[in-house]
Amino acid sequence: MQTIAYSRVEDLEIKFDLEPPPSPTSGTLSAIIYMHGGGLESGARRDLLFPEWLRESSLRRGFIFIAADHRLLYASTAFDISEDMKALFAFLADPAFSEKHLPAGLSLDASPSPSWVPPGAAMPPALRPSTPSPSPVQSSCSSGWARTTIPVCNH
């Protein structure tokens, strides 16, 4: 696993953990991007609620697994968090990302990536990054850990 800074705001480096699947040696792979919960006010990419099952399942199925941090509310604003998401997706979409951070022969499919959004992490549509855009495949409702599956549709 690599920890990579995808953005810097003054003295703060905003990072994500990257883990490619163990078996593929070449090709273009999709990613599962985990955004931590905490109602935008707390949490981190590897906090106590980290879904190890999601990481293991993603890697077993041949996805690149990414767990990303973002700035938190009250020290920052929702617009700052939106800028973090835009910076993350722009960083991942840059071909230099695959060349620098993935094993030789592998590249990231920068089309919409499946995401997992935990409780309290949902953003209003006006604040969500638009390009490139994640395609949520699973979300947890804010009233608990009950999971709701969201179909991926790119048309």
Side-chain angles (χ1 to χ4, degrees):
M1 176 180 53
Q2 298 178 60
T3 299
I4 301 164
Y6 69 87
S7 182
R8 178 186 273 291
V9 178
E10 297 175 7
D11 292 338
L12 176 67
E13 282 189 332
I14 306 169
K15 301 175 182 179
F16 67 89
D17 292 336
L18 169 71
E19 193 168 354
S23 54
T25 57
S26 65
T28 301
L29 303 177
S30 294
I32 299 290
I33 303 170
Y34 166 71
M35 306 303 299
H36 65 80
L40 305 177
E41 298 174 11
S42 64
R45 66 186 184 275
R46 291 287 177 160
D47 61 15
L48 292 175
L49 300 175
F50 179 78
E52 188 62 38
W53 63 268
L54 179 65
R55 185 190 74 78
E56 291 172 2
S57 177
S58 300
L59 295 172
R60 189 171 46 252
R61 288 174 172 77
F63 288 100
I64 296 168
F65 185 76
I66 296 171
D69 275 338
H70 56 76
R71 288 177 282 177
L72 301 175
L73 281 181
Y74 305 123
S76 302
T77 68
F79 293 106
D80 294 331
I81 297 169
S82 177
E83 289 304 312
D84 294 346
M85 296 300 95
K86 291 175 187 177
L88 173 64
F89 287 101
F91 185 89
L92 296 174
D94 186 335
F97 163 75
S98 292
E99 294 167 11
K100 183 175 180 182
H101 298 289
L102 293 178
L106 288 181
S107 62
L108 174 67
D109 179 358
S111 62
S113 293
S115 302
W116 186 75
V117 183
M123 280 189 157
L127 297 178
R128 292 185 193 137
S130 58
T131 307
S133 175
S135 297
V137 293
Q138 189 170 37
S139 177
S140 297
C141 67
S142 60
S143 61
W145 284 99
R147 292 187 170 80
T148 303
T149 302
I150 301 171
V152 176
C153 182
N154 292 325
H155 20 148

